[in-house]
Amino acid sequence: MNDARAIELACEALELASAAGAQTAEASVSIARRFHAEARDNAISKLEASTGKGLFMRVFRGGRKATLTTSDFSPDGMSDAIRRAVAQADQVAVDEFAGLPDVVAGEAVDLALFDPRIADRDGAEKVDDAIKLERLIREADARVVNSSGSNYTDAIAVTAIANTSGFSAVYSWTRAGRSTGPVALDGGVKRIAHYGTAGRYLDDLEAAGSVATTAVRRAVDLFGARKPPTMRVPVIFERDVAATFLDDIFAAASAGNVAIDNSWLTERTGSRVGSELVTIVDDGRLVGKLGSSPFDGEGVPTQRTPVFERGTLRTFLYDTYYGRKLGAASTGNSTGGGIGPNNFYLEPGAMSLEELIAATPLGVLVLDTIGFATEHASGTYSRGARGFFIENGELAYPIDEFTVAGQYVDMLANIDSVANDLQFDATVVSPSFRVSELMVSGN
Amino acid sequence: MFDESLLSRLLDRALQHGGEYADVFCERRRTVSYRLQDGRVHDATYGVTLGVGIRVVVGESAGFASSDDLSSEALMEAADSAALIARTAPSGKTAAAELRSENVPNLYDCDPVTAIDGARYAALLERADRTARRYDPRVVAVNAHVVDELQEVWIASSDGRYVRDCRPLVTLGIQAVATDKKERSSGYVGDGGRTSIAYFDRQTPEMLAEDAARIATVNLSAVPAPAGEMAMIVGAGGGGVLLHEAVGHGLESDFNRRGTSLYSGRVGERVASELVTIYDDGNLHEERGSLNVDDEGVLGQHKVLVENGVLRGYMQDTLNARLMGAQSTGSGRRQSFRFAPQPRMCNTYMPNGDSTVEEIVASTQRGIFAKSFAGGQVEIAKGDFVFMVGEGYLVENGKITAPLRNATIVGNGPDAMRKVVAVGNDSRLARGHYTCGKGGQNVPVGVGMPTVKISSITVGGTQT
């Protein structure tokens, strides 16, 4: 029912844009029902349920572009907002590259993005999901004295896109997740850990027991953590931390950043950047995965794009605009307003994380980082971290309050082992990997 | 747009199954923005956020629902959804009190934008672009954006409060990218506040662009940051990010009511060097983090968080204040009508101490001078934080020497605050461009600080 409604709203918006003077336009409408239950102390502490709509629109007039976002779907509200957006285009410079995409998605492909079990799930069952997880973290270890909450979330949604060239398409999707944040008391110090799972299907979620165990272990295993010595050592990035590193690689490989001179990967296409083990792929067509969709934010079919192949940078990731500007075809990475990842991941290797640790005589295992990249021009990586010091292939003692730092380009070149623990529990994911040498800064 | 009788009916409906408190937050926000790259205006955006969020509080639990459909059926349905919490966590019935309209002060001049003067925004961006490129031929790219936003809110609560507020917010952000063929670096400067676009007649795009270009070109000759423990001097203004991360978040009342913050239950205790005093202020004229009233309709306030090293109080929203037997401090904030409020910071800063900048630098044998931060993050249970230095220098033998490349600082909140050994007499608020993220919600905030010296902290560079 929402499929038809979303298409109808997108088409209405296109008509209003034409009436307001736009020569071409594109409208994307999403309608999503979202649910969030948070439990604490065996009781429900937060219950949120809402249906939300959003219109995102690009309008073109005389080679100039303007953009509109609105949650006001009243007839007056919609036409007023669209009129203003079209008028705003007048201040924008004429840009030969602005416009609708040349190629749009044809036949519908079913990527299995919708789980009817999530759509039909009873509210009480969802609440129990959160309460059960909260109970499990407290049962898992007596040292868990508190929590920042255990959560179950889901979304049932449709996304529709239409443009004035006659294209219109829609797909439905679901997403569910569970997450928790146990707090354990380590003498006078509170140690919190966060861990969660997410997927398009209820059955894809990691079981509550396993989520609880991992979250609790991450809190209590760090008991007694101290600063490591300042030194250059091999560093293993556990898969969640590895994924945040891949976020930064994505940002640097995004044509939007390359085009504005804000990427350390600029001018490196075709050259060897990473080690032999670095094959990084953006793939929008993986069946049932969180980053998959039949078409991107401007209706361009998604695809599988190898970005790095055995260390060589093959391509940046493009939408239509930056593709035209930099002389490439869109790779199906438009978010509508910018460039975003589909399923963006590092190809896994053969050994387990345990084997990788055992193969590391001296080094550091990073389990968690804080901080984020604020600019991508210089290509410097530096994060606050916690994890373990590794001696003789074993986790010797927990460490925290240290940083790990280096240049992205050196880090990619020095990846000397990749583990087999890749899981598609987000759009940007990675298996654990080891960098042969990095600066660890502590005492 | 949202009349009192509709809000009253929604409150009654929200409390149909019981509950101790309910509120309705109605929002209409209009955002105009322009973006420049490659020397020309590249995109213009118009945005509208319109909808209603309804919340019911039962003990420690809250039910929340929002609607972007303003028909009374859809709003009643949202009230029904929010009311479900009172079935899950049963409580006694409360009747909504009759609404009393309250006047609010005016910290910002607010002329609703009816006509959009696009040429004015475009001119600001073009002036920034010209200035940054003229500053130095090594500046090869300038990316800039200007945002002009007006948020109107109507807030009603079951204890009878009914307030309206109209909040302007302008921002101008400029990134300059410089290269000398060998190195590539960038500098970012943003400014703005809760006022009209005329703000940039005073804080001109030329001033900001020149600073962005200066940072980008200075960073070209930057040396890799050192690694290990050393002294840190935090620069006036932008250094306030340190307070925001190292102390501020840990004093938000939700973490303290739940006992997950390291500062839980420690009001009256010594938590920092006696040189440390920290305020959070919601009612500074035109500042980015200021609020006439917060998103629960409570007046913006001046709060003493830490005084001479002693913890004085938390930042409270109504839910947590009620459970802790305290009063709201006007700290309940939300990203939009789609979110329930959380206790948040407004403008967090440290007032003046006695030292001069010269004395502080001269007293430092080896360390770094973090003039500004590009961002930070904290983990509130143990208090570990990081922040990324935007503009930083080495300090050697009492003198500021080479610029540093992308240093990250890691530390622990109480530990760093105990090690504050000097506080400068040059306190000021940073330029208004900071946005704080918490629990998936972003809100504009301000930070401020005098020059401060911390005797020892871990610098996450690559050089030993």
Side-chain angles (χ1 to χ4, degrees), chain B residues 381-404:
Chain B
K382 181 164 175 280
D384 290 352
F385 60 79
V386 299
F387 37 93
M388 288 67 85
V389 177
E391 184 183 0
Y393 299 85
L394 263 181
V395 181
E396 296 165 298
N397 303 319
K399 290 200 171 57
I400 293 174
T401 57
L404 291 177

Side-chain angles (χ1 to χ4, degrees), chain A residues 128-412:
Chain A
D128 287 345
D129 201 306
I131 291 178
K132 179 182 168 195
L133 184 55
E134 176 73 3
R135 182 168 47 78
L136 287 171
I137 57 164
R138 289 169 189 259
E139 285 172 6
D141 195 304
R143 293 170 292 179
V144 174
V145 294
N146 200 342
S147 110
S148 65
S150 299
N151 305 280
Y152 171 83
T153 58
D154 67 26
I156 300 112
V158 297
T159 298
I161 300 184
N163 70 30
T164 49
S165 301
F167 170 75
S168 78
V170 62
Y171 66 97
S172 304
W173 53 269
T174 51
R175 177 195 168 94
R178 53 174 73 100
S179 64
T180 184
V183 178
L185 206 55
D186 176 10
V189 174
K190 288 172 184 158
R191 294 198 179 268
I192 192 166
H194 294 281
Y195 186 72
T197 173
R200 295 238 181 249
Y201 283 75
L202 214 45
D203 283 343
D204 286 349
L205 299 188
E206 192 175 326
S210 165
V211 171
T213 312
T214 304
V216 169
R217 217 185 50 228
R218 287 191 181 182
V220 299
D221 284 358
L222 267 284
F223 276 30
R226 56 186 197 258
K227 283 189 187 204
T230 297
M231 63 194 300
R232 283 185 187 283
V233 280
V235 173
I236 299 172
F237 291 78
E238 186 275 340
R239 66 180 187 88
D240 281 352
V241 176
T244 64
F245 176 78
L246 265 275
D247 280 329
D248 298 341
I249 302 299
F250 175 82
S254 162
N257 278 328
V258 174
I260 63 170
D261 266 314
N262 188 32
S263 169
W264 53 273
L265 280 174
T266 301
E267 288 160 23
R268 289 189 197 262
T269 10
S271 66
R272 179 75 178 267
V273 180
S275 78
E276 198 54 19
L277 301 175
V278 175
T279 293
I280 297 177
V281 177
D282 181 79
D283 193 341
R285 291 297 175 109
L286 296 176
V287 171
K289 300 304 181 209
L290 283 168
S292 302
S293 59
F295 47 84
D296 73 0
E298 46 186 359
V300 173
T302 53
Q303 62 181 44
R304 178 178 191 278
T305 311
V307 179
F308 289 88
E309 273 178 326
R310 297 163 70 88
T312 301
L313 177 62
R314 291 291 175 210
T315 181
F316 299 120
L317 293 167
Y318 300 96
D319 61 0
T320 297
Y321 176 79
Y322 285 107
R324 286 175 185 155
K325 195 163 182 166
L326 300 178
S330 168
T331 50
N333 285 91
S334 171
T335 59
I339 293 176
N342 292 301
N343 295 293
F344 186 77
Y345 64 96
L346 171 67
E347 290 274 11
M351 60 165 73
S352 67
L353 175 59
E354 291 67 30
E355 287 164 341
L356 183 48
I357 293 165
T360 306
L362 181 76
V364 162
L365 169 67
V366 177
L367 289 172
D368 199 5
T369 52
I370 51 174
F372 44 87
T374 51
E375 60 102 84
H376 302 281
S378 64
T380 306
Y381 177 93
S382 183
R383 294 287 185 284
R386 55 187 179 189
F388 280 89
F389 204 77
I390 301 170
E391 283 170 353
N392 305 317
E394 285 177 6
L395 302 182
Y397 57 89
I399 49 179
D400 65 359
E401 272 189 68
F402 63 99
T403 62
V404 181
Q407 295 295 119
Y408 289 103
V409 64
D410 300 334
M411 292 169 79
L412 284 178

Side-chain angles (χ1 to χ4, degrees), chain A residues 44 53 146 190 227 325, chain B residues 38 61 68 258 261 458-459:
Chain A
I44 201 73
K53 295 192 295 300
N146 200 342
K190 288 172 184 158
K227 283 189 187 204
K325 195 163 182 166
Chain B
D38 288 340
S61 309
D68 47 48
R258 290 180 160 194
S261 166
T458 298
V459 178

Side-chain angles (χ1 to χ4, degrees), chain B residues 115-129:
Chain B
I116 301 166
D117 181 4
R120 185 166 184 185
Y121 301 104
L124 289 173
L125 297 178
E126 284 156 2
R127 283 163 60 192
D129 182 76

